Amino acid sequence: MKQLFTILLLLLTLTAQAQRQQISYIEETKNWYYVYDEKGKKICGLSRSSVGELKGWGSDFFVAMRYSFYYICDAKGKTLKTMNVSDVGEIVGVTNSTITSRRGSWIFTWSKDGKKINARPAN
């Protein structure tokens, strides 16, 4: 019985991991963004007018700016978090799991969930 439970748990974990697609590359054209996985397969296409300006991407999310908001989206373009530009500042980098921004004389590090992780004075 314990082995059956372990197998079911493993299958559920593998299924959840398979559903979270990893971003390998985002191709930018004049009117579209095309999101690709690590195998080169297109995950989705998103119009620039709906997404806004791409600021960067990590392994399973990307950040775009439209009007005065930043949108943190999953690989399929679903908005996970919306953040006000005036609160975040200018995004200067996006890595696998964090977003770095600068507002005034401060550097902030944010999680991909939009939570502030760290703040430090800029040099």
Side-chain angles (χ1 to χ4, degrees), residues 30-46:
K30 182 177 179 183
N31 297 314
W32 292 88
Y33 297 115
Y34 297 103
V35 182
Y36 293 92
D37 67 11
E38 64 277 356
K39 295 178 183 175
K41 181 181 174 191
K42 188 187 317 178
I43 298 171
C44 68
L46 304 163

Side-chain angles (χ1 to χ4, degrees), residues 18-95:
Q19 289 176 349
R20 282 182 283 164
Q21 292 183 303
Q22 300 291 306
I23 298 172
S24 175
Y25 179 69
I26 298 180
E27 178 184 8
E28 300 180 47
T29 66
K30 182 177 179 183
N31 297 314
W32 292 88
Y33 297 115
Y34 297 103
V35 182
Y36 293 92
D37 67 11
E38 64 277 356
K39 295 178 183 175
K41 181 181 174 191
K42 188 187 317 178
I43 298 171
C44 68
L46 304 163
S47 72
R48 281 183 181 260
S49 60
S50 67
V51 175
E53 178 186 351
L54 183 67
K55 293 296 184 177
W57 71 85
S59 59
D60 59 353
F61 74 102
F62 66 89
V63 180
M65 184 178 113
R66 187 167 178 228
Y67 304 117
S68 59
F69 293 96
Y70 289 116
Y71 297 93
I72 302 173
C73 303
D74 68 9
K76 293 184 178 184
K78 178 183 173 193
T79 300
L80 304 173
K81 180 75 175 180
T82 303
M83 301 169 70
N84 195 313
V85 170
S86 63
D87 295 334
V88 176
E90 178 187 355
I91 291 188
V92 294
V94 179
T95 64

